Amino acid sequence: MHILLVHAHPEARSLNGALTRFIVGRLERQQHSVAVSDLYAMRWNAVLDRADRLDIDPDQRFDPSLDSRDAYARGTQSPDIAREQDKLRRADAVILQFPLWWFSMPAILKGWVERVYAYGFAYGVGEHSDARWGDRYGEGSMAGKRAMLVVTAGGWESHYGPRGINGPIDDILFPIQHGILHYPGFDVLPPHVVYRTGKTDVARFERICAVLGERLDTLFTTPPLPFRRQNGGDYTIPELGLRDDICPGRAGFCIHLAQR
Ligand code: FAD
């Protein structure tokens, strides 16, 4: 199998750098091939703007969505975007590896998503009508591929528990796991989160790698998070609300996960 690892940390000698090297080594030992997009090392341009469309008229008003659509359709995207899209097409699984910064991904990784996820590639895919709202949330161009987050956080695990002050980690990661990964069709695996990073020494790093190693060995067999499919019958069309008879009276992120 072929895995794309997208890594977002500015320092190779960091904990995240060490985790990325461990991930590559472990996957290659399992006879997988691995491509790494090391965003800081690549000096990835995180800013979506009119330069993303090579054939844009200088006098034309730039529309981030429509110009993305036209550039994708006409093959006039900035080459760095097209290269990352090719890496995604080739991958059977994608790992996003990053430190939690301000309760989300580092800006450079968000910018990778914004620019690489073009209209027609990651959104605006499939039939859009009164009866169908496109191929997304479980369907789309990434259907059949797996994705997993490997995240480090300075906070303690209890800070991210069900009643922890930071909010539950599943809620914090929901916009990434559901909005960025499930949306274009990935099967999303449970995340691997390393907490309390300041307390890492050689012995703890070995324990972290032992657990992470098992996750990597089961990358293609671990059951994905049971996010509901948009076109699976659980949502009303075109309102796209969860049917009243499913999780009645409840709201929040958790209702979009089917009970196992
Ligand atoms: P490093 O600082 O490189 O390392 C952490 C520890 O691991 C160090 O003690 C280091 O000596 C040790 N270590 C590194 N490599 C190894 C190795 N190979 N073997 C053994 N030990 C090793 N945290 C939150 O919880 N929530 C937030 O919202 C949040 N926001 C942040 C925003 C910003 C802008 C920043 C800078 C930090 C934020 N943090 C937050 C903390 C952040 O998540 C952690 O600093 C980060 O996850 C640590 O990862 P690192 O790779 O930078 O670790």
Side-chain angles (χ1 to χ4, degrees), residues 17-231:
L19 289 173
T20 272
R21 287 188 291 279
F22 171 79
I23 292 169
V24 172
R26 184 71 168 230
L27 291 172
E28 289 181 342
R29 276 224 310 276
Q30 297 284 341
Q31 309 303 323
H32 298 304
S33 56
V34 187
V36 180
S37 286
D38 182 344
L39 299 184
Y40 282 94
M42 292 159 64
R43 305 189 71 76
W44 175 258
N45 169 22
V47 179
L48 184 161
D49 65 13
R50 59 192 300 124
D52 289 353
R53 178 174 174 186
L54 300 182
D55 62 342
I56 194 164
D57 179 337
D59 297 329
Q60 186 188 319
R61 173 182 174 275
F62 172 62
D63 183 311
S65 285
L66 298 183
D67 283 308
S68 168
R69 179 194 65 189
D70 293 348
Y72 180 71
R74 294 177 192 178
T76 58
Q77 298 180 111
S78 173
D80 58 344
I81 296 175
R83 271 196 299 274
E84 295 306 297
Q85 290 168 348
D86 279 343
K87 291 182 193 173
L88 280 168
R89 281 191 200 94
R90 277 202 298 276
D92 300 297
V94 175
I95 296 174
L96 303 184
Q97 201 280 297
F98 57 92
L100 195 67
W101 280 1
W102 289 111
F103 305 99
S104 187
M105 50 175 56
I108 199 169
L109 179 54
K110 180 69 170 10
W112 181 88
V113 175
E114 289 176 11
R115 296 184 65 231
V116 175
Y117 270 33
Y119 189 151
F121 178 70
Y123 70 102
V125 175
E127 175 197 331
H128 285 70
S129 66
D130 283 350
R132 195 177 166 85
W133 205 280
D135 297 347
R136 55 176 211 169
Y137 290 118
E139 294 169 289
S141 46
M142 298 299 136
K145 302 178 190 291
R146 301 186 141 223
M148 179 173 132
L149 303 184
V150 177
V151 184
T152 65
W156 298 19
E157 187 166 2
S158 59
H159 304 173
Y160 292 96
R163 291 162 61 82
I165 186 146
N166 291 342
I169 193 70
D170 290 343
D171 286 5
I172 287 166
L173 298 181
F174 185 88
I176 303 174
Q177 299 195 131
H178 189 262
I180 291 175
L181 296 175
H182 183 53
Y183 186 107
F186 282 109
D187 287 330
V188 186
L189 305 187
H192 179 82
V193 184
V194 177
Y195 297 99
R196 212 175 174 182
T197 48
K199 288 290 173 193
T200 310
D201 56 15
V202 172
R204 182 163 185 245
F205 185 72
E206 281 178 13
R207 290 198 297 278
I208 291 167
C209 289
V211 178
L212 177 57
E214 283 177 26
R215 292 297 314 276
L216 297 170
D217 293 349
T218 55
L219 191 60
F220 292 96
T221 54
T222 298
L225 297 170
F227 287 132
R228 298 180 193 280
R229 300 167 73 89
Q230 171 182 287
N231 298 316

